[in-house]
Amino acid sequence: MAELPPALSGFWVTFSTMFKKVNTEQYPEEKDKYPPEPRFHGRHQLNRHPDGLEKCIGCELCAWACPADAILVQGADNSTDQRFSPGERYGRVYQINYLRCIFCGLCIEACPTRALTMTHDYELADNSREKLIYEKEDLLGPLTQNMVSAPHEMVPGTTEKDYYEGKITEATPEQRAEVAARTDEESEAVR
Amino acid sequence: MSGGGADWNGTEMGLEEKLPSGFMLSTVEGAAGYARKNSMWTVTFGLACCAIEMMATGAGRYDLARFGMEVFRPSPRQADLMIVAGRVSQKMAPVVRQVYDQMPNPKWVISMGACSSSGGMFNNYAIVQGVDHVIPVDIYLPGCPPRPEQLMDAILKLHAEVQEEKLGSNRVKQIAEEEKEALVAVPTIDQRGLLR
Amino acid sequence: MSTTSHEATGSDTPTVKMITGTIDGTDVTVPEGTMIIRAAELMGVEVPRFCDHPLLDPVAACRACLVEVEGMPKPQPSCAVPLGDGMTVQTQLTSEVADTAQKGVMEFLLINHPLDCPVCDKGGECPLQNQAMSVGRPESRFTGQKREFPKPINVSSEILLDRERCVSCARCTRFAEQIAGDPFIALLERGAQQQVGTGEEPFDSYFSGNTIQICPVGALTSEEYRFRSRPFDLVSVPTTCEHCASGCSMRTDYRHENVMRRQSGDDPEVNEEWNCDKGRFAFPYLQLERLATPLVRENGQLRRASWPEALRIAADGLAAARGRTSVLTGGRLTMEDAYAYARFARVGLGTDDIDLRARAASDEETDFLSGEVAGSCGPVYRELESAPAVLLAALEPEEESPIIYLRLRKAARAGTKVFSLGPFASQGLEKMAGSLVECVPGDLATQLDQLDDETAAALSQPGAVILLGERAATEPGAFAAMSRLVQRTGAEWAWVPRRAGERGAIDAGCLPGLLPGGRPLTDETARQEIASLWGIDPDELPATAGRSLAATVAQIHADAKAASEAGEEEEFSPELAALLVAGVEPDDIPNADQFLTALDSVPFLVSLETRPSEVTARADVVLPVAVVTEKSGAFVTWEGRRRPFGTVMPQPTSFTDAVVLALLSDYMDLATPPREVDDLRTELGNLGAWQGSRVSPADVPAGSAQQPGSGEAVLASWRYLLDLGTMQEGEPHLAGTRKPAVVRISAATAAANGVEAGSRVRVSTDTGAITLPVELTEMAENVVWLPLNSPDSQVLVSLGALPGDTVRLERGDV
């Protein structure tokens, strides 16, 4: 390219761009084409054991680690008729205030049971403060085919150790029967 | 953005079939909402790091012009939308309010990022704990800072609300209803947990 | 009153021999017998420890505190080896040997300790966690199977034990044995299997909560606090216990405006480091249903009202009844609030009808409290500890003032003789190794007069103490008899109320005929002092002593009777036209029915309460007031010691009684009295002690016990520490550790009434009956004892009888 007058060289930039690939992301129409990076810090998720019991033990270490004080946890005792997690303790109250959360990920590093992880979901905007405080039921991961929702008993004959060693793979028929036997009112009361 | 009937808040009254092709029916509210949401001009209000993401959203890769929003006005008098991007210090609060007051109605506010929504991690005396202490906020956007897609998501959610907005006596009725709801809502001092 | 100038009874304490040793190359001089670990502490050298506790005997169980002592072949436990004269000690700071030894012990301790810190209640405030950080290895070398136990087990309904976490330091078992005297838990097994366990009986001690606090790991936890919070999100505020007149220093931990737990504070002069389970666990009542707004009565129904509206109605009603109003304060107010009532009654209401006693009381007691107790200061805890002999009259310390019990037990272990006048030797007395002077209720005054020579001689030793409980009010002549005994023996004495606020309210002048600061209403100088303090003319003060609670109730009934006789056409003006009632629990008052009907028939009733009660249900105006966590103030212990405390959780919407009374004064167009705690305290403090003449108690003849006929017995009764008290509501686990309600009679009385061991006994009066299992006890003949306010045994309500009355006794239906 020989020396073009400066005015024309400007137009040349414009002209040549017409033959380049468009770099505009067509959000939201084509958002699947631009997934976040694998390590992206999105909305949190409270995971479950393979049989559907919750992994959260209500230890509040996430709340302790949080630099923005965005997490509120209150633990409670698993009673004999209502078991939410293997072992003694579960998280009765779990709230994350997404208006405070800075998505730094210190909470998921602090979690001793890998109950808390982060998803790639980032479309969180909403129109009130109340809606942006996520409760436990908003944060709990989805139930897969093999899971039944807590509360229910542990797999018969196992201890919490077996859960952490990964020996539990799916909900047993006993657990399914127990959850199925729960009436709607009972499920509502649990909530 | 492609226009078309699908985006209109058209109320189907059975008249469409009787019209010659090329005509479309809608309410005045639907038409006004459509017009408003597709030419929303933003007042420049970058306060901190979130502003960088907001600028990126306006640039070529994300291209807010697709939504008719490429104009960031330094003058509030020609703006419809205020994107409060960044932590609002106590000293900035009156400025925010003044700029907001200078905007003509109808006007909307997006609180972008944790700091402007709630003070974020700056829970201290210097920072307003949420810009909604100063001006009414229509959309809260979490993130620190939110990535451009998140801002666009917030903008689209706002658009959806604008499209639904009422006019005239309907608007008066709507305001009265919202006022009634607000009066019986739990006051902040009685709220528990993180809402407090 | 004042808390100054307690005569130091230990003025002739032997001089302590001081010795000098060397720790880490620095000379340190300490009293002989000081353990190395304490001496090191004095120098600022922190030796790790688990089992060591300054108030427990050394045991050297955990071996964490090993130090090198010159001349000894092996490292020595510094918590159990006293520093010798010229001894050279090297701690982990200067000695490789000590350091290695400590690290080795730490590694051993951690071998069997589970890694469940995230779920452990102690996590975050755990000595083991902290010391594992400072002297533990970063990684364990132990790869085997850790010791496992089923977890947790209930050692009582409140206390849980997790044996996996235990490091066998024996703090809990030593506490139970040495301090509380309830050795229901002990170390079982040996070696790696060594564990804390209970025998057949559960660990039902009134002091079990202390074991949780002193446990250096999370092995002992409470049902109440379990998993509810973590130490790092608790806000701790020092405070004073509101449950009894012991005045324990406490720490209240709250989170999100809910009290999560309470722990005993450290005050060597009062509760040392201990408190009772009631003080520790009985706080959920604070969070039960509260009165949120003022209530006013409209068309017979209470409805919510605004403060101005309710204050206006209350002020108008009280102003109309000026001079014809009675004030009942109850025994749970802080000293400052009580003072505000005392002032409001005299200035605002123009009445002297004010009584703090919501319990059995007598005129004799009124005189005694006004003349002898108000503003005085008797022996203190330390003097109990050094007393050669202590006589308990109408007082059961373990049940009615637990910290006195702990001090007396500590004293008894050091040689103090404890004597108790009562119908039988209670468990508490046995744990104090005390001796019983048998005394049937009603007979206390006679027994005090006829005390046997041995006991009297013991009480004649310098420093001996007589403790008189509040139940003496039902014993005719007891106060005069005690004065005679004090004269005879020269012993010190103290009056021990049960409720936290009674002593302060007496000092503040909440008794008929008694102005603040122990000043008699009838004394001209006293009237002038008080009048100038309150900015009024002395003549405006009521001229004569007012009515007690019982007299008030009687007057209202008399008014009601007169009104019904007067008929409708006549204008009838009652003697008592209004009542102002603070925290009064009707069930605590003898003849609760009459009290309640009096509340029904009094023309105007204003209630200042925290929670809905039987009084608020009958009130014309209810004004909500702050609970103890929402206000500051001071309680006064039985010693006369002021125990000020600060606000735990400030609530902008709740007012203290004093503030509400000040608002009422405003609405009644009176000069505003001081309303802030500091101002009230200063005003009361400026008053100073009363030097003038006092009410001299009337010489009431000593009463003697009633003589029951056949099938009858004399009723003896007192409260268990854990009973049906309203301030224990909301905590079922604590309620589970209540002692079971039983009827106690002697074997001979049982045989005479056809009662066998293991059967049930029916105790009845014309009012009602109580049927409970019998426990044959070595006790006085023809006396029946049952708990005063326990489940299935509410003596005042069911029997309508007081201790000393005669009741019928028969075999209960099986």
Side-chain angles (χ1 to χ4, degrees), chain A residues 96-108:
Chain A
I96 296 184
N97 182 352
Y98 279 106
L99 293 177
R100 289 244 180 233
C101 176
I102 58 168
F103 299 89
C104 63
L106 289 180
C107 46
I108 60 170

Side-chain angles (χ1 to χ4, degrees), chain A residues 3-169:
Chain A
E3 291 293 308
L4 272 174
L8 281 183
S9 75
F11 282 115
W12 175 250
V13 172
T14 311
F15 181 75
S16 66
T17 308
M18 293 205 285
F19 302 99
K20 283 190 184 149
K21 223 177 131 205
V22 178
N23 85 333
T24 304
E25 279 185 16
Q26 291 298 325
Y27 180 89
E29 291 84 3
E30 296 176 356
K31 66 177 169 191
D32 295 345
K33 275 164 94 178
Y34 311 98
E37 294 298 317
R39 290 180 304 169
F40 178 75
H41 287 176
R43 182 178 69 80
H44 299 81
Q45 173 172 304
L46 281 171
N47 298 315
R48 298 174 191 264
H49 285 288
D51 65 350
L53 283 177
E54 291 159 15
K55 283 188 174 176
C56 178
I57 51 170
C59 71
E60 302 187 29
L61 289 184
C62 46
W64 198 10
C66 183
D69 210 3
I71 308 182
L72 172 82
V73 189
Q74 271 172 20
D77 219 337
N78 277 315
S79 62
T80 40
D81 45 328
Q82 277 202 350
R83 172 172 290 284
F84 289 87
S85 73
E88 295 172 84
R89 180 173 176 154
Y90 76 99
R92 184 175 61 82
V93 175
Y94 200 103
Q95 293 183 334
I96 296 184
N97 182 352
Y98 279 106
L99 293 177
R100 289 244 180 233
C101 176
I102 58 168
F103 299 89
C104 63
L106 289 180
C107 46
I108 60 170
E109 277 180 45
C111 184
T113 60
R114 290 215 139 252
L116 192 67
T117 52
M118 283 172 134
T119 64
H120 285 179
D121 178 13
Y122 54 79
E123 291 172 333
L124 297 170
D126 219 322
N127 59 6
S128 79
R129 278 189 178 228
E130 287 84 349
K131 287 181 193 161
L132 279 161
I133 292 171
Y134 281 45
E135 298 276 348
K136 189 167 138 186
E137 51 268 29
D138 307 322
L139 293 165
L140 269 176
L143 289 168
T144 65
Q145 287 244 302
N146 293 335
M147 297 175 179
V148 284
S149 74
H152 58 74
E153 280 303 306
M154 288 157 68
V155 173
T158 59
T159 63
E160 53 179 309
K161 223 174 178 180
D162 298 321
Y163 275 80
Y164 293 117
E165 285 174 357
K167 291 184 184 161
I168 312 301
T169 52

Side-chain angles (χ1 to χ4, degrees), chain C residues 605-754:
Chain C
L605 173 61
V606 180
S607 170
L608 272 65
E609 255 294 3
T610 58
R611 287 171 53 196
S613 73
E614 287 184 271
V615 179
T616 60
R618 289 165 169 78
D620 295 290
V621 182
V622 181
L623 300 169
V625 290
V627 291
V628 70
T629 46
E630 294 166 0
K631 63 181 179 186
S632 58
F635 290 122
V636 181
T637 69
W638 60 272
E639 311 153 281
R641 185 196 300 269
R642 278 191 201 179
R643 302 290 282 163
F645 60 92
T647 312
V648 177
M649 296 178 283
Q651 282 286 0
T653 50
S654 75
F655 304 133
T656 62
D657 295 62
V659 170
V660 174
L661 293 178
L663 290 171
L664 274 175
S665 299
D666 279 348
Y667 274 75
M668 292 164 79
D669 294 330
L670 301 163
T672 308
R675 45 188 271 181
E676 299 303 327
V677 167
D678 285 346
D679 299 340
L680 288 158
R681 203 178 285 168
T682 313
E683 193 173 295
L684 191 53
N686 287 345
L687 202 50
W690 173 239
Q691 307 296 345
S693 66
R694 285 167 167 273
V695 180
S696 49
D699 196 15
V700 181
S704 57
Q706 300 189 13
Q707 294 302 320
S710 99
E712 290 182 338
V714 177
L715 175 70
S717 184
W718 54 75
R719 278 162 219 270
Y720 279 147
L721 182 70
L722 302 176
D723 59 8
L724 292 174
T726 47
M727 298 210 299
Q728 295 163 49
E729 282 171 16
E731 177 44 12
H733 306 297
L734 179 67
T737 64
R738 283 177 193 151
K739 289 182 182 170
V742 290
V743 164
R744 290 179 189 275
I745 45 176
S746 70
T749 313
N753 290 285

Side-chain angles (χ1 to χ4, degrees), chain A residues 57-61 63-64 71-78 88-90 112 160-161, chain C residues 116 118-121 145 148 151-152 162 165 223 226-230 232-233 255-256:
Chain A
I57 51 170
C59 71
E60 302 187 29
L61 289 184
W64 198 10
I71 308 182
L72 172 82
V73 189
Q74 271 172 20
D77 219 337
N78 277 315
E88 295 172 84
R89 180 173 176 154
Y90 76 99
E160 53 179 309
K161 223 174 178 180
Chain C
D116 59 357
V119 295
C120 177
D121 274 344
Q145 177 80 11
E148 282 177 14
K151 61 198 279 179
D162 185 328
R165 295 181 188 148
E223 283 278 9
R226 192 170 157 80
F227 301 157
R228 286 189 67 202
S229 191
R230 314 279 326 195
F232 43 81
D233 47 37
R255 173 192 194 189
H256 286 281

